[in-house]
Amino acid sequence: MTRNTSFSNILKLAAAAVLFSGGLAFAGPQEDYQEHCASCHGEDRLGGSGPALIPETLRKIRGPNLSEVILKGRVATQMPGFSEYLDQDGADAIVGLLKTPLEVLPPWGEEQINASRDMNPDYVAVEAPVWDADPMNITVAVETGDHHVSVLNGDTFEVLDRFPTPFAVHGGPKYDPTGRYLFIMSRDGWVQKYDIYALQTVGQVRAGLNSRNIAMSSDGKWLAVASYLPNMLTILSTEDLTVGKVQMVKGKDGTPSRVSAVYQVPPRESFVLALKDVPEIWEIFYGANPPQFGFAHDWRDEGLAHTDIPFPVRKITLPDYLDDFFFDQTYEYIMGASRDGAEGTGGQVVDLVIGHKIADLDLPGMPHLSSGTTWERNGTTVMATPHMRGGVVSVIDMSTWKTIKKIEAMGPGFFVRSHENSRYIWADVFFGPNRDLMHVIDKQSLEIVKTLQPAVGKTVAHVEFTKDGRYALVSVWEDDGEVLVYDAESLEIVKRLPMRKPSGKYNVWNKITFSEGTSH
Ligand code: DHE
């Protein structure tokens, strides 16, 4: 890796630094960084045993401010406090450095990714699960408070294992089609493979420097990793985490683009990419016989790796940017919206088969399409999505693409969820003063039938159901948080599982069968 030496930034920050303050001397942010931080976070700030310290990842991390973390450390992590060596000004100056973007990114391609592979030498594959539970009803809970995942028996809610993950996991972890292996991604681009049968980590690899999410191929052979830094999609072998292909992303006019997200499209044996910086959607085929149509350029030029799968790319040009998606259950249509076009721009429906926009969506106020749920109502399929601004849950008829109701919520939400066997949609109020509320909405009347407030003043968010839909698991999204197990019919709490800032929960069955209640 090349070392980042942005001298103009260093000089600016050094000039701002106070040399002697409160009796503590410090040399300047760059020198202080190298002395105190670099051994764990990397000389180039791209991470080591500690996470990367670059603006792209730091601004997503909620919790105490960064100066406080530098001075006092981060509870339940390896991060110590440095108040013995730095005062407030010294810590603030380092924060200024950390918030400065890197001017030069080190190369991060196939060679570096493969070299980062870190396989667990103690991992031993087992023939059958080492536990006694229904393998299809296992649920994992991501605990972002201290970067762990808990593996739950979905019938008894006993914790079968609790294992460490890379720092700052984001997006839904993905199961292979058998439900045995779990893949987890951190915002720093680390991908971890975990064997649920053996309750052991198999290994990890750094697929990007700042990544967004992952998608599993329907044959279970490939895992796609979407990244902002570098602008690329990495396709990993799920077997050994080696690179199948690194696909750099540039629009047709040559503009480089971040990849906002990647999703699998099982019937087409493809991954679909949401691009942040160009009005295009890309489809990358992983099947042995990709369709021979619509390739706008010669994909054979694009650096094939050591695999016989060519991963050809189809590029679809759109009238507007789409970086947040939802698919219908047939995967023929993509509903999309731009996160930046937050105010009143709405969204688009794209027919993936013909590669064209076919309808507009009335979805102002930053819809969170990657969290959506579908169900049957009055003989048609409808879908609900929350909005991160404005405080409504929109319900859309998927035959006409018209919004049939904007359900007034008590604030903007982040996640909605349901299950085939449940009468209700659960919609959180993630932002604002009412973030301790969870709406329960009747799927037929589209009315809020109950608003739960299980922990006053604490953020309550994200729901996952058990395999049969009988119980709904809700996160109390706080450092001393818990996962609440609700009876999904009586709406009473039947169990409380203490956890460290639990975020998403993911049930094997609901995920691998593509339950209509959950986003895929
Ligand atoms: Fe997420 C899923 C994008 C902020 C927690 N988030 C997703 C997905 C996308 C996305 C595209 C679907 C991918 C998947 O699961 O494979 N998230 C974004 C953003 O663009 C946004 C608004 C800004 C950003 O930081 O990138 C954002 N997300 C957050 C958070 O601040 C959350 C609440 C806390 C965190 O951990 O960063 C958060 N996002 C989640 C979770 C999921 C998720 C828990 C998986 C939900 C699921 O049920 O599958």
Side-chain angles (χ1 to χ4, degrees), residues 66-110:
L66 291 175
S67 306
E68 195 181 323
V69 174
I70 291 171
L71 292 172
K72 296 186 183 163
R74 195 181 268 278
V75 181
T77 69
Q78 303 292 313
M79 173 71 188
F82 287 87
S83 56
E84 205 182 314
Y85 311 103
L86 296 164
D87 63 7
Q88 186 66 46
D89 291 331
D92 289 348
I94 293 179
V95 172
L97 174 70
L98 306 187
K99 289 188 170 171
T100 310
L102 298 180
E103 278 178 14
V104 182
L105 263 193
W108 201 259
E110 183 182 341

Side-chain angles (χ1 to χ4, degrees), residues 18 40 67 324 435 446 504:
V18 181
C40 291
S67 306
D324 190 18
R435 62 185 185 282
L446 306 184

